[in-house]
Amino acid sequence: MLPPLVVLNGPTASGKSSLAIRVAQQLTRRGHPSEIVNADSMLVYRGMDIGTAKPTVAELAAVPHHLVDILDVTQTSTVADIQALAREVIARLRAEGIVPVLVGGSALYVHAIVDDFDFPGSDPQVRARHEARLAEVGPYALHAELAQRAPEAAASMDPGNGRRIVRALEVLELTGELRPRLPQWTYALERVLQYGLEIDREVMDRRINERVDQMWSDGLVEEVRRLEEQGLREGLTASRALGYRQVLAHLDGEVDEHTAREMTKAGTRRFARKQLGWFRRDPRVVWLPAGDPSSPERIVDDVCQALG
């Protein structure tokens, strides 16, 4: 019998990473080896540590982590890439009798990994044409074009996310339509146990503001300068990460440093609310209070019961 897959969902600053470590450690102590699989699109990048709130060296050493620090900032990462990599790791761990703990990330990435989720095809020439236009006119002009052709899909996108807008225009050209809603909740993987962390919005906003302030104190601007020398601006994915794109705008002289910090806070708060909204739509998620000290034991008991 395959070990179950534990999935931990929740918005930014809800404590998913620390909970995952405690769950994996308790499972291992109870005779069920457990390892963590990252589903966050930015933790895959080497050097993007402060702005992603990447687990510390000690935390990474406490429990084996997979899909962390596997790409350079110049490389592009897509949902389809993370889906394939995560499913491969999960299958390998389960075959070895290890309980994988999947930690998201956005709902899109988690959903793509655990559920039936197919991606439209791609055409390099079509994409290159739209990417050239992105470089010429910028993301906001392309978003306005997308809004005319597929208003519902455009409304769900960040107008500044050029990579995602280019992909939408590519799919629209290739298929003639965009599906603005995610597919139905149908597991592609067996024996999934999903949990979500509930957190009061005011508390969440306060934690996000404090986290961003701490990132600045820890040297986010200096980290971005260092990564800029390594080609951060060339990375279509990495350069769009929250915090990083705001600091790049500051380094370009578009905004002052205080404005960049406040923009990062506001953008992260919006993203966290969107995360929570998507997770709330999934009826299979068992919700637990964020920070509840009994949560690790609750999850571990469920896993042990599933293991018989």
Side-chain angles (χ1 to χ4, degrees), residues 87-145:
R87 287 183 176 182
E88 180 182 352
V89 171
I90 290 166
R92 176 167 53 80
L93 292 177
R94 294 172 115 179
E96 296 172 1
I98 297 170
V99 179
V101 179
L102 182 70
V103 186
S106 72
L108 174 62
Y109 279 76
V110 173
H111 190 31
I113 292 166
V114 303
D115 286 323
D116 285 329
F117 197 108
D118 296 323
F119 295 91
S122 180
D123 185 310
Q125 291 183 339
V126 173
R127 178 172 295 192
R129 188 169 68 253
H130 289 298
E131 286 176 345
R133 294 191 58 242
L134 173 66
E136 179 183 354
V137 303
Y140 294 96
L142 285 193
H143 186 266
E145 176 185 325

Side-chain angles (χ1 to χ4, degrees), residues 213-231:
D213 285 336
Q214 188 63 50
M215 288 175 177
W216 246 261
S217 297
D218 290 343
L220 177 61
V221 176
E222 290 73 20
E223 179 175 273
V224 174
R225 283 198 180 101
R226 184 175 64 254
L227 292 172
E228 188 179 17
E229 295 176 355
Q230 299 173 18

Side-chain angles (χ1 to χ4, degrees), residues 10 17-18 62 70 76 213 216 254:
S17 297
S18 58
I70 61 172
T76 299
D213 285 336
W216 246 261
E254 296 175 10

Side-chain angles (χ1 to χ4, degrees), residues 47-53 211-228 232 241-248 250-251 257 260-261 264-265 268:
M48 292 178 64
D49 303 331
I50 298 172
T52 62
R211 174 181 282 189
V212 172
D213 285 336
Q214 188 63 50
M215 288 175 177
W216 246 261
S217 297
D218 290 343
L220 177 61
V221 176
E222 290 73 20
E223 179 175 273
V224 174
R225 283 198 180 101
R226 184 175 64 254
L227 292 172
E228 188 179 17
L232 176 61
L242 275 166
Y244 293 86
R245 69 172 180 257
Q246 286 81 9
V247 172
L248 286 172
H250 163 59
L251 296 179
E257 187 171 343
R261 186 193 299 207
T264 300
K265 291 178 182 178
T268 305

Side-chain angles (χ1 to χ4, degrees), residues 3 25 54 89 119 121-122 136 154 162 170 186 217 268 287 298 302 308:
Q25 288 175 324
K54 188 175 291 179
V89 171
F119 295 91
S122 180
E136 179 183 354
E170 177 191 16
T186 305
S217 297
T268 305
W287 290 93
R298 158 70 191 276
D302 289 349

Side-chain angles (χ1 to χ4, degrees), residues 8-152:
L8 298 182
N9 303 304
T12 300
S14 60
K16 297 185 297 294
S17 297
S18 58
L19 175 59
I21 290 171
R22 292 196 298 272
V23 167
Q25 288 175 324
Q26 286 195 28
L27 280 169
T28 300
R29 285 196 293 267
R30 290 173 66 167
H32 304 295
S34 179
E35 300 182 7
I36 294 172
V37 182
N38 165 55
D40 186 290
S41 63
M42 296 302 161
L43 292 186
V44 299
Y45 287 106
R46 287 183 283 268
M48 292 178 64
D49 303 331
I50 298 172
T52 62
K54 188 175 291 179
T56 65
V57 173
E59 289 171 331
L60 292 171
V63 175
H65 284 64
H66 300 270
L67 305 187
V68 175
D69 290 340
I70 61 172
L71 297 176
D72 294 327
V73 293
T74 54
Q75 295 177 274
T76 299
S77 171
T78 67
V79 183
D81 295 332
I82 300 299
Q83 179 196 61
L85 290 169
R87 287 183 176 182
E88 180 182 352
V89 171
I90 290 166
R92 176 167 53 80
L93 292 177
R94 294 172 115 179
E96 296 172 1
I98 297 170
V99 179
V101 179
L102 182 70
V103 186
S106 72
L108 174 62
Y109 279 76
V110 173
H111 190 31
I113 292 166
V114 303
D115 286 323
D116 285 329
F117 197 108
D118 296 323
F119 295 91
S122 180
D123 185 310
Q125 291 183 339
V126 173
R127 178 172 295 192
R129 188 169 68 253
H130 289 298
E131 286 176 345
R133 294 191 58 242
L134 173 66
E136 179 183 354
V137 303
Y140 294 96
L142 285 193
H143 186 266
E145 176 185 325
L146 181 64
Q148 290 183 338
R149 301 174 62 185
E152 191 174 353

